[in-house]
Amino acid sequence: MTSAASPDEKSKRTIHTAGCIIIGDEVLGGKTVDTNSAYLAKFCFALGMNLKRIEVISDDEEEIIEAARRMSDNYDFVVTSGGIGPTHDDITYQSIAKAFGLRLKLHADALERMKKLSKPHPSQPNFAWDTPSPALSAKLRMIELPIDESRDEGSQVLFVNDKLWVPISVVNGNIHILPGVPRLFEQLLDGMKPRLLPRLTDPEGKGIHRILISTPVAESQVAAYLTELAAKVEPAGIKVGSYPRFGKARNEITLVGRDKEYMESLVDEVAKSVEGVRINVEGEDDVEGEPDLEQQG
């Protein structure tokens, strides 16, 4: 829990846990399929951050305020996705600013980057940066950022990709506000990696390890063994997972943790106990035409 920490403390502390807030009515309404949370999950796993929660919420000020405050209190590293565009329903900046009693400020460096790196849309042939217009107002809305005037501004606005004008607004020390567009989200998240590595439990960013074991045996048959195994390895911080693959002849057992040497020592035992084999990628040992486990009863 991080609730007692100041924003400056939150921005520097070791990162153990992470949380994600996906913001958008279009996701909740089924119009848009969220891929950003999956990308973040893989990012966190690779770096050894424990992603504890992913929430999808609407473009609603009260929802955003509540989620932002709670996530900032509960997790070391928080990422939001969506709601920072130029239209009326893009309210993430203003909502998160309100959550922490901050004002929005037009960010001068972001404006200069926007002028330099953004291209005018074909539908706006007469657009000019020095001429007031609805289009200009809409563009400037995307760089009116929550700023805590009592803190160093440089730690609150990050530029992590020289080819993008889009800033990462960092609020309350640990909330990182990213766009919902997957290409931008992914590039900006990747761009943060060098800044995050020194704050990880393992500064080398070796991350968490996952071992996959494929088994032709039904889950119910191996459930008792897996329960015993999970209890045995829990003190070492290792989790045991069992995943049915419907329509396939083999299910999957996973070992997930940081102690790679210990995990490797378990492979032969686990494979023998579930009558399985180790694999590198899910489905690599599938054989076309084999009856699936459901058909086998």
Side-chain angles (χ1 to χ4, degrees):
M1 302 288 282
T2 65
S3 56
S6 70
D8 284 332
E9 289 171 333
K10 289 181 179 182
S11 70
K12 298 173 183 177
R13 69 190 310 157
T14 300
I15 298 174
H16 299 283
T17 60
C20 176
I21 309 172
I22 304 297
I23 302 169
D25 292 340
E26 68 277 11
V27 178
L28 290 170
K31 178 181 180 295
T32 300
V33 176
D34 164 50
T35 60
N36 291 340
S37 62
Y39 194 87
L40 175 64
K42 293 177 182 178
F43 179 85
C44 290
F45 188 91
L47 293 183
M49 287 188 272
N50 189 3
L51 181 59
K52 301 285 285 185
R53 180 175 291 271
I54 296 171
E55 293 186 6
V56 183
I57 63 176
S58 66
D59 293 298
D60 178 271
E61 184 176 84
E62 291 185 4
E63 292 273 349
I64 297 171
I65 289 173
E66 187 280 328
R69 287 173 175 168
R70 174 168 43 81
M71 289 278 205
S72 182
D73 282 349
N74 290 347
Y75 307 116
D76 300 315
F77 176 69
V78 180
V79 172
T80 76
S81 164
I84 60 172
T87 58
H88 70 284
D89 56 346
D90 291 306
I91 61 170
T92 296
Y93 283 145
Q94 68 191 55
S95 300
I96 294 182
K98 188 173 182 179
F100 298 99
L102 306 178
R103 293 185 178 183
L104 295 179
K105 177 181 178 181
L106 183 68
H107 196 269
D109 289 347
L111 175 58
E112 292 307 310
R113 291 173 67 93
M114 180 185 277
K115 289 179 179 180
K116 178 181 178 181
L117 298 172
S118 66
K119 299 178 182 179
H121 194 274
S123 66
Q124 300 172 319
N126 298 319
F127 174 81
W129 289 104
D130 56 357
T131 302
S133 67
L136 176 60
S137 297
K139 288 179 183 291
L140 297 182
R141 204 166 175 269
M142 294 188 285
I143 51 173
E144 292 177 346
L145 310 178
I147 297 294
D148 183 343
E149 299 287 357
S150 69
R151 301 178 56 232
D152 172 39
E153 192 170 295
S155 65
Q156 300 179 66
V157 182
L158 308 180
F159 296 101
V160 299
N161 188 314
D162 291 339
K163 297 181 179 179
L164 300 175
W165 63 263
V166 185
I168 298 175
S169 176
V170 184
V171 180
N172 206 40
N174 65 346
I175 299 178
H176 301 74
I177 304 175
L178 272 64
V181 178
R183 179 180 62 84
L184 296 177
F185 181 92
E186 293 169 9
Q187 290 183 24
L188 292 174
L189 186 63
D190 290 341
M192 276 196 284
K193 182 177 176 179
R195 298 170 182 265
L196 298 175
L197 286 176
R199 297 175 55 201
L200 300 179
T201 304
D202 173 11
E204 294 184 13
K206 294 178 181 177
I208 304 171
H209 306 285
R210 181 188 285 121
I211 290 175
L212 309 178
I213 296 174
S214 172
T215 173
V217 178
E219 278 195 302
S220 57
Q221 185 172 331
V222 297
Y225 166 71
L226 294 181
T227 300
E228 294 176 2
L229 177 64
K232 171 184 173 182
V233 301
E234 182 182 11
I238 296 170
K239 291 187 176 183
V240 178
S242 176
Y243 303 96
R245 301 177 62 235
F246 295 105
K248 300 295 183 181
R250 289 170 170 78
N251 290 331
E252 188 175 278
I253 308 299
T254 65
L255 303 176
V256 177
R258 297 179 186 275
D259 191 340
K260 187 176 182 181
E261 183 177 352
Y262 180 43
M263 291 166 62
E264 291 287 351
S265 75
L266 296 168
V267 171
D268 289 344
E269 172 204 327
V270 177
K272 180 179 179 180
S273 298
V274 301
E275 301 176 28
V277 295
R278 181 175 184 172
I279 57 174
N280 294 313
V281 180
E282 180 179 309
E284 73 175 33
D285 61 337
D286 287 344
V287 177
E288 188 174 350
E290 276 190 313
D292 64 46
L293 289 176
E294 295 171 86
Q295 294 173 341
Q296 297 177 45

